[in-house]
Amino acid sequence: KAGVTQTPRYLIKTRGQQVTLSCSPISGHRSVSWYQQTPGQGLQFLFEYFSETQRNKGNFPGRFSGRQFSNSRSEMNVSTLELGDSALYLCASSRTIDRGASSAGNTIYFGEGSWLTVV
Amino acid sequence: QKEVEQNSGPLSVPEGAIASLNCTYSDRGSQSFFWYRQYSGKSPELIMFIYSNGDKEDGRFTAQLNKASQYVSLLIRDSQPSDSATYLCAVSPSNYQLIWGAGTKLIIKP
């Protein structure tokens, strides 16, 4: 069973440009979450999608956006890149994240991440 | 605000000893609890999840959950240098979103 696939793995952009990152979840997983992680920092939640709907959004500016397609694949976009956007962007998938449920279905699995460097 | 707290460490443990990692959470309605391991420069990987009070064992790893006291811990028996990593605790509260701790850096000394 294939894991979560993220592309591209590494990229370098200049300030002011925009970037689109792609994520293919594990087959059968309908929930996709995105995280930002900077060196020495914890996981910062960006947003979560389920069945093409954004269910949760973290505290990031509007320059960060995402979407999910009918096949559960997801993309995130960062516009007007800033130096501080340099980070590891992680995508994670799960069957679902149920409200208040005790369920293995809530378990999320991460892709290898996309390393973004803004110069 | 829902929070998950972990000691950032580093926690230094001799090889072969038991490493004990702790995590407390604020949302009493939380139902699912997860431990992930993250090596430097890599993505987090699932170690185990737990959702019932008590202990859950998987090989050298044991997760302990105490909902009354709102803490979850991870014990690593017979610690190996390859266990050196950052360990992340995640909690699933009632709004579809996982809440993450900042992680504890564990160093196993040969």
Side-chain angles (χ1 to χ4, degrees):
Chain A
K1 187 171 177 180
V4 179
T5 304
Q6 290 189 245
T7 56
R9 290 291 320 283
Y10 304 91
L11 65 165
I12 300 174
K13 292 285 188 178
T14 57
R15 279 181 297 174
Q17 285 187 314
Q18 74 164 11
V19 65
T20 298
L21 308 177
S22 180
C23 173
S24 294
I26 293 171
S27 178
H29 285 195
R30 297 169 64 189
S31 171
V32 173
S33 304
W34 288 90
Y35 293 85
Q36 181 196 67
Q37 189 175 41
T38 50
Q41 298 298 310
L43 293 170
Q44 303 297 314
F45 173 74
L46 282 156
F47 24 66
E48 187 249 346
Y49 288 88
F50 180 81
S51 293
E52 302 178 68
T53 300
Q54 185 182 89
R55 289 199 298 193
N56 272 297
K57 188 177 188 304
N59 189 26
F60 277 81
R63 300 185 297 107
F64 292 80
S65 63
R67 59 178 175 169
Q68 186 180 34
F69 302 97
S70 58
N71 61 358
S72 294
R73 191 177 69 85
S74 177
E75 290 181 346
M76 68 161 284
N77 183 277
V78 187
S79 63
T80 318
L81 284 165
E82 302 177 358
L83 294 179
D85 297 333
S86 295
L88 173 65
Y89 290 87
L90 292 162
C91 170
S93 76
S94 69
R95 289 205 306 266
T96 184
I97 296 181
D98 292 326
R99 181 186 290 270
S102 304
S103 169
N106 288 359
T107 305
I108 71 170
Y109 299 89
F110 286 90
E112 293 186 301
S114 293
W115 287 92
L116 170 65
T117 301
V118 182
V119 297
Chain B
Q1 183 173 348
K2 301 179 177 64
E3 293 182 339
V4 174
E5 300 285 344
Q6 293 183 259
N7 188 320
S8 62
L11 174 65
S12 184
V13 175
E15 183 176 357
I18 296 176
S20 178
L21 304 163
N22 298 311
C23 172
T24 60
Y25 59 94
S26 62
D27 187 346
R28 282 193 171 276
S30 299
Q31 296 289 337
S32 301
F33 307 85
F34 306 86
W35 282 101
Y36 287 79
R37 176 177 63 198
Q38 186 174 26
Y39 293 112
S40 180
K42 301 294 185 181
S43 62
E45 55 180 334
L46 177 71
I47 297 175
M48 61 196 309
F49 65 87
I50 185 170
Y51 45 79
S52 299
N53 271 330
D55 295 358
K56 180 180 179 182
E57 186 175 319
D58 183 0
R60 296 186 296 112
F61 298 94
T62 299
Q64 299 176 318
L65 175 60
N66 185 321
K67 290 186 178 180
S69 300
Q70 294 177 244
Y71 80 80
V72 56
S73 61
L74 180 70
L75 302 179
I76 307 174
R77 291 183 300 281
D78 188 24
S79 297
Q80 303 296 311
S82 59
D83 294 326
S84 297
T86 296
Y87 289 80
L88 301 169
C89 171
V91 174
S92 177
S94 54
N95 64 343
Y96 304 117
Q97 180 182 338
L98 284 182
I99 306 299
W100 293 83
T104 297
K105 184 174 183 177
L106 176 65
I107 298 173
I108 306 300
K109 291 188 172 181

